[in-house]
Amino acid sequence: MKFFNLFGRLKSVVIGMIHVKALPGTPLGCMKMSRITEEACREAEIYHDAGIDAVIIENMHDIPYSFSVGPEVTACLTAVCSAVRNICPQLPLGVQILSSANQQALAVALASGLDFIRAEGFVFSHVADEGLLNACAGDLLRYRKQIGAEHVQIFTDIKKKHSSHALTSDVSIEETAHAAEFFLSDGLIITGAATGQQADPRELREVSKSVRIPVLIGSGVTYDNIESYIGANGMIIGSHFKEGGHWANAVDPERVKRFMGKIRELRQ
């Protein structure tokens, strides 16, 4: 399984989030690319020095998000991701491009030498903040094949945050997980209702029992509740690692070090 080729048998892989500052052309964009890249690299170094297991890079400051992601976003994120790769040559790295720019994320990962992407809308339709999002698995995996990026893993959200799932209210999260596994997802991501909100530990247990691929937690893990999620194959952590526990703030080195110290103890 590709996940274990990347991370070995490490228990509860910790993936730290870098929320890249608003990119040029977006409503909040006000920084030069050199400064944006410098900030991302600074946070990558903090994670690296704290002994993080992996890092994912995301354009969360590009609000409001759009399904029509311009070429400037792809180009800018390629520059940022390449710079982070240069300073963390051995660390597993990933990228997510909002909103649902999964093919663009694959292209960035390939060009920057990254290892995985986080993809929205892999199976089943749902209504997100940005509008109706349809499933993309067939087109996305064909695109990955066409560009020669089959080594780039695709971790996929199921019943994702910031979304209404009334369209699939008759489809359980376990059934959604089965569908994603059948459609060749490399790993599943479970979240709470919104950024920073806790995922349901029961859903983690039930989904983990129902599939043979890795299951990751994508929101709400903190120093205080980590024991509830230690059974996950991975944890993507953004808000808790930021100053004051708020996603838009800078990464706090002490929060990262404290968390990593605790998880090392729990892994023993």
Side-chain angles (χ1 to χ4, degrees):
M1 193 176 293
K2 289 194 291 183
F3 183 90
F4 300 111
N5 291 337
L6 181 59
F7 296 110
R9 291 291 167 178
L10 187 63
K11 185 178 180 181
S12 303
V13 172
V14 180
I15 304 173
M17 176 69 76
I18 294 175
H19 292 123
V20 176
K21 298 300 184 184
L23 295 172
T26 62
L28 298 181
C30 61
M31 295 172 63
K32 292 183 178 181
M33 274 304 301
S34 58
R35 178 72 185 282
I36 292 171
T37 302
E38 179 183 319
E39 286 292 310
C41 289
R42 184 186 65 82
E43 294 196 343
E45 288 179 330
I46 290 172
Y47 281 131
H48 181 270
D49 292 345
I52 204 84
D53 302 316
V55 166
I56 185 169
I57 298 156
E58 182 187 72
N59 62 325
M60 192 163 172
H61 286 275
D62 287 358
I63 51 178
Y65 310 120
S66 170
F67 291 141
S68 301
V69 173
E72 72 285 353
V73 172
T74 305
C76 290
L77 281 174
T78 299
V80 172
C81 291
S82 295
V84 171
R85 170 52 80 202
N86 285 338
I87 66 169
C88 299
Q90 304 301 321
L91 194 67
L93 299 177
V95 65
Q96 178 177 20
I97 304 181
L98 303 170
S99 174
S100 192
N102 301 322
Q103 291 190 12
Q104 292 93 323
L106 273 176
V108 170
L110 178 63
S112 306
L114 306 191
D115 304 290
F116 62 93
I117 71 166
R118 180 177 182 174
E120 303 174 83
F122 192 70
V123 291
F124 294 107
S125 298
H126 64 262
V127 181
D129 300 18
E130 306 85 5
L132 180 63
L133 181 61
N134 288 317
C136 70
D139 289 342
L140 185 61
L141 266 64
R142 283 167 175 77
Y143 180 73
R144 182 173 68 172
K145 178 84 169 182
Q146 290 164 8
I147 66 172
E150 291 174 284
H151 61 285
V152 178
Q153 298 185 50
I154 300 175
F155 303 148
T156 60
D157 281 277
I158 55 173
K159 299 281 187 179
K160 74 174 290 290
K161 59 187 176 180
H162 299 291
S163 302
S164 166
H165 298 282
L167 288 170
T168 56
S169 59
D170 58 339
V171 181
S172 70
I173 193 168
E174 293 91 346
E175 290 170 320
T176 306
H178 277 300
E181 181 180 39
F182 182 65
F183 274 12
L184 307 179
S185 168
D186 294 307
L188 307 176
I189 300 173
I190 300 172
T191 66
T195 296
Q197 294 189 15
Q198 295 181 26
D200 185 344
R202 181 194 62 81
E203 290 187 345
L204 170 62
R205 292 191 296 269
E206 294 304 316
V207 170
S208 296
K209 290 178 184 176
S210 66
V211 297
R212 291 179 294 177
I213 58 176
V215 180
L216 298 85
I217 297 297
S219 72
V221 179
T222 69
Y223 181 90
D224 294 326
N225 69 18
I226 185 175
E227 288 87 352
S228 297
Y229 304 108
I230 198 67
N233 295 103
M235 309 170 179
I236 299 173
I237 303 177
S239 299
H240 181 67
F241 285 158
K242 303 302 185 71
E243 295 174 357
H246 182 59
W247 73 267
N249 294 337
V251 172
D252 184 334
E254 295 308 312
R255 278 178 168 259
V256 183
K257 291 175 184 176
R258 183 168 179 256
F259 186 95
M260 292 307 298
K262 183 174 184 179
I263 198 165
R264 290 189 192 101
E265 293 178 358
L266 292 172
R267 284 171 176 165
Q268 294 177 359

